[in-house]
Amino acid sequence: MSLSNPSQVLLRNSELLIAKSPLLINLPEDGFIDAYVDIHKPDSISCFNTNFIDYQAIIKKHGSSSNKNNVQTTFASTYQTDTCHDLVIITFPKSKAELNFTLAIIAHCIDETTKILLVGEKKGGIQSAEKLTQNILSCCQKVDAARHCMLFVGLFEPEKLSVVFNLQDWFKKYHIVVEGIELTIASLPGVFSQQKLDVGTSLLLSNLPDKIVGKVLDFGCGAGVISCFIGKKFNEANLSLLDVSALALTSAKESLALNNLAGNVFPSNSLSDVNEHYHHVVSNPPFHQGVKTHYQASEDFLAGINQKLNKQGNITIVANSFLRYQPIMEAHIGNTRVITKEKGFTIYQAQLSSK
């Protein structure tokens, strides 16, 4: 795999990367780790990823407990360690609110001598890094701009951020009422539709099957809105929720708990870790990866979900009306109906053809 543009920008500023125990936050596995080790030979490298796809790629490349580069990898919504890192490299997140959350979760394992590097593509909003971190970092300044990317460096100011991290402080909680059903939703920074019910999901909830019984899969669950609604409306539903984001999964668990519901919440790269079969699949499938529009994951999901449906199983999704999902569903699942088209969104429902 060729080095991404942000990784190339990092490596051309090699003098900033000298460290004994660096922490890499949400960096992809693109060859950067190997290049870094060859140049600087740190004692160990810690990788913290909230994206399951990136985590899996790093595990696949460096996952052995006896790996020569001593790479330690974590997939979670928060980071815990006894190590004091002397360098932290952060991929600038899509959600600006997520940046300060990320700095808060590492406050316990850095000090005033720790270099903080922020790297990202210009179109991802990294130009605002200095302003966003002015109450947490000192001397945050741009040190490079190349390949449509920017690199900032700063130092941590311990007195500006408590080293005692409380996850509950970071949940945005809001109440919604859909078809007379009241729900409380909790969402961490960076999770889709963090502060209110989005239009597409609202339309989906009003156009679900009349009866939902048995195993239900909520694909790309986000903060768990769909599952919470189904769990409240259909008492005989057995909920499973998956997402690629650790922040989403933690949010979904919190939302379920707030609504006195239970469900199996787990990470998956599309259908990679789906091991059961379901009577119903419901989704507002994501089509963004980072700052880029990316349809392949959703198309792969629609093409493969037939293998995860029970006989006579069905799937109901909402999608932007410009997305041509109906032919894919017809080809791989079976008869696909357009339930409604409103406000730029379309609801599709497909019934599994006889196997």
Side-chain angles (χ1 to χ4, degrees), residues 29 197 239 261 306 331 336 354:
E29 172 44 57
L197 179 63
L239 303 171
L261 296 168
N306 61 336
T336 302
S354 300

Side-chain angles (χ1 to χ4, degrees), residues 178-198:
V178 181
E179 295 189 345
I181 295 175
E182 298 184 14
L183 300 173
T184 300
I185 303 301
S187 187
L188 291 172
V191 177
F192 175 69
S193 192
Q194 189 197 5
Q195 301 194 40
K196 63 180 181 179
L197 179 63
D198 65 284

